[in-house]
Amino acid sequence: MYQSTRNDKTTATSKEAVLQGLASDGGLFVDPELGCFKIDIEKHLKSTYGELALAIFKILLPDFTETELKDCIDGAYINSFEGGDVAPLMKVGNVHVLELFHGPTCAFKDVALTILPHFMSVALSQKQQKALILTATSGDTGKAAMNGFMDVPNTGICVYYPHNGVSQVQYMQMCTQKGKNVRVHAVEGNFDDAQRGVKEIFTDPEIEEYARLKGVKLSSANSINIGRLVPQVVYYFWAYIKLVNNGEVKLGDEISFSVPTGNFGDVLAGFYAKKLGLPVKKFIVASNVNDVLYDFFKTGIYDKNRPFAKTISPSMDILVSSNLERLLFYMSGNNADITAEFMQSLAENGKYFVGNDIKAKLDELFIGGVTNDAETLATIKKCYDETGYILDTHTAVSFKIASEYATNSTEKVVTLSTASPYKFPQAVINAIDGEKMDEWEALSRLIEINEKPCPTSLSDIKSQEILHKSIIDKDEMRATVKVAIDQLF
Ligand SMILES: *Cc1c(COP(=O)(O)O)cnc(C)c1O
């Protein structure tokens, strides 16, 4: 049974939690029994990605039947990933790079967002309901979510991204999205404004009633949805199994992961993997100069009162990392009252201190790391010069911190690679050639120098028709939801 991070009495089955996204009290759904069941890694050394996923989903989504889960897995993973492997592992310099960007929109979010619509369809069909998905995006989630939900029966999706806050390629990916049930809006403000707006709509009784009258439930495809988090647990095990199979580690040896972090969903999935029995020594939480998490892991104080910076790794430009709430719940010994207090303090003062006990527990497993834009560019260049491998701007943040860490550590280090370099060509070419060209010229140049081919979904994007032009104010978000309910259901 799932429950809210803020109240033991707000409970839901995993199907309900997937449909609802956020709990009604504003908390996030968590399973207090996480860790009671473990994955037997030895049994899965020869498993396919799908078989491994099934074993993990059976633990984390217990009220889905095995047949339902198998259908979801096949629907999501059989044909959507170029090359057939959901998560290839490469050795680059002194670290291993887990490439999570071979899905339809070229970012790691595809791993979860190709399967979430299948989870939702199953849950909806049982309740004979419809769902409107509301999603705030810093660039990658929005496209991946729209692609996943496009024309899925009984669903609609509204995406909100920060106006002028995403890359040119990300912008084109979103505003050219097809599908009758898709709505996209640029919001005047940054990602946190858009995310706050979506959260407010979820807890707005009037809109809930408006939707309910049409048999519609509002839901979320953000990483606050448990259906987003669960699929990400799989690739941590997948990386480990590969390292065992190619002789890099012995079964049972601990390894460390470095994760380019924004909303704390990806690294939290790693924590879940550890709870399910994966031998992990450290998680390195890699941030750009929006380094609120770096300070948090150093001091135990989460303080979002600081300037927001636009960087060349825009999907990590986040000051309120929503999924951290789940970690606090577990670190406080499954204490919803304490977690609720932290969140109240965050809402009222923009900060909280976790106390010395929780801080000590965090220190055992997490290390923060930070990298500025200049260092990120230098890392892309150095890695290209030394190995020929081209990192994207988000992966480079993590790669730098990971390879420095690996120099002084005995265990193997894996960095997650969250996006294809083809998604951020301007910054990547600027790093490698030292030249500033427009994004489309840079894309051509990158195609020339990169040994790895450009996915077709990106190579022809410039010439696609723009279908969505809406730019709205923060306080217009509510109204757009009502319009979508009227038009789509
Ligand atoms: C979303 C995203 C991140 C951040 O992941 P979180 O789960 O939000 O921490 C990092 N890199 C890329 C490319 C992303 O799209």
Side-chain angles (χ1 to χ4, degrees), residues 107-109 138 140-141 223 232 260-267 315-316 318 392 394 418-419 424:
F108 88 99
K109 294 185 171 77
S138 55
D140 290 331
T141 305
S223 58
Q232 297 178 355
T261 301
N263 220 8
F264 205 74
D266 211 2
V267 61
S315 299
M316 297 161 68
I318 290 177
D392 100 286
H394 303 76
T418 49
F424 303 92

Side-chain angles (χ1 to χ4, degrees), residues 343-391:
M343 290 305 118
Q344 193 178 348
S345 174
L346 183 66
E348 284 167 10
N349 314 314
K351 61 177 177 180
Y352 57 85
F353 171 54
V354 293
N356 293 328
D357 291 352
I358 294 182
K359 170 73 171 76
K361 280 196 212 166
L362 292 170
D363 286 346
E364 285 171 21
L365 194 54
F366 295 92
I367 312 173
V370 60
T371 297
N372 64 30
D373 278 359
E375 291 166 331
T376 305
L377 291 171
T379 302
I380 294 171
K381 165 110 180 113
K382 182 161 180 278
C383 182
Y384 176 67
D385 288 348
E386 288 174 1
T387 70
Y389 188 89
I390 301 184
L391 299 159

Side-chain angles (χ1 to χ4, degrees), residues 19-20 132 134 201-202 207 211 216-220 481 485:
L19 284 184
Q20 230 171 294
L132 179 63
L134 305 181
I201 293 168
F202 278 127
I207 297 221
V216 176
K217 220 170 162 57
L218 298 182
S219 190
S220 147
V481 171
I485 293 171

